[in-house]
């Protein structure tokens, strides 16, 4: 897990920061987990910060996963179909990926006023492990992951 202070709404600065941190990992690694909204910080400005699925951060994720030969996962702000999502991307080294849109939006932070909730769980496999990725507030709803 790479947990660090972020450059508020600074996509380029954050991608450079995480590039350096990932490059510094010398041990063989199967999975690197990045923070929620790792490229921007937890922002309620999706109209200003959202990317498409072929945007800069997706290209960066694909490059980093290939370089490290491991899965890299973290959430980013995505615009799709006129809606904004807090979307976790599970990027594999071969460039294939899967996504999970945060289901339980943090109402106390008014996340529900800016983002659409996800509707489907994601279960991925890595080295024989089945993993159900969730984003932050989702962990407060264990039935969601159990059912």
């Amino acid at each position: 897990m790479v947990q660090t202070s972020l450059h508020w709404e600074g996509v380029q600065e954050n991608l450079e920061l995480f590039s350096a941190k990932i490059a510094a990992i010398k041990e063989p690694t199967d999975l690197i987990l990045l923070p929620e909204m790792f490229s921007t910080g937890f922002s309620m400005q999706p109209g200003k910060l959202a990317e498409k699925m072929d945007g800069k951060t997706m290209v960066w994720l694909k490059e980093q996963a290939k370089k490290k030969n491991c899965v890299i996962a973290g959430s980013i702000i995505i615009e799709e179909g006129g809606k904004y999502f807090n979307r976790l991307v599970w990027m594999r080294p071969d460039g294939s990926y899967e996504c999970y849109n945060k289901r339980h939006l943090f109402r106390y932070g008014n996340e529900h006023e800016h983002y659409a909730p996800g509707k489907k769980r994601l279960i991925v496999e890595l080295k024989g492990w089945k993993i159900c990725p969730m984003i932050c507030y989702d962990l407060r709803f264990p039935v969601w992951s159990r059912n």
Side-chain angles (χ1 to χ4, degrees), residues 70-133:
C70 72
V71 171
I72 301 181
S75 85
I76 58 179
I77 302 171
I78 292 292
E79 187 276 321
E80 190 172 85
K83 295 180 181 179
Y84 300 109
F85 298 93
N86 182 349
R87 179 172 290 171
L88 178 131
V89 178
W90 181 271
M91 182 65 71
R92 296 181 187 91
D94 67 2
S96 66
Y97 63 87
E98 296 187 58
C99 299
Y100 165 71
N101 293 326
K102 185 176 181 181
R103 171 72 175 105
H104 300 93
L105 304 175
F106 189 60
R107 294 184 75 81
Y108 296 116
N110 294 323
E111 190 176 14
H112 67 291
E113 293 178 6
H114 303 277
Y115 295 92
K119 294 181 176 20
K120 296 181 183 175
R121 283 185 313 151
L122 172 65
I123 297 178
V124 291
E125 252 188 79
L126 181 64
K127 304 255 177 172
W129 289 83
K130 289 187 179 184
I131 301 167
C132 178

Side-chain angles (χ1 to χ4, degrees), residues 8-52:
W8 184 249
E9 297 182 350
V11 174
Q12 186 60 40
E13 295 94 333
N14 287 318
L15 296 183
E16 289 171 9
L17 171 73
F18 284 110
S19 292
K21 290 192 176 292
I22 290 169
I25 299 170
K26 301 302 179 200
E27 302 82 16
T29 303
D30 297 321
L31 173 63
I32 297 171
L33 293 175
L34 303 176
E36 179 179 19
M37 294 187 188
F38 70 88
S39 63
T40 59
F42 189 71
S43 176
M44 295 304 113
Q45 303 244 13
K48 172 182 158 188
L49 299 168
E51 296 183 33
K52 299 283 189 182

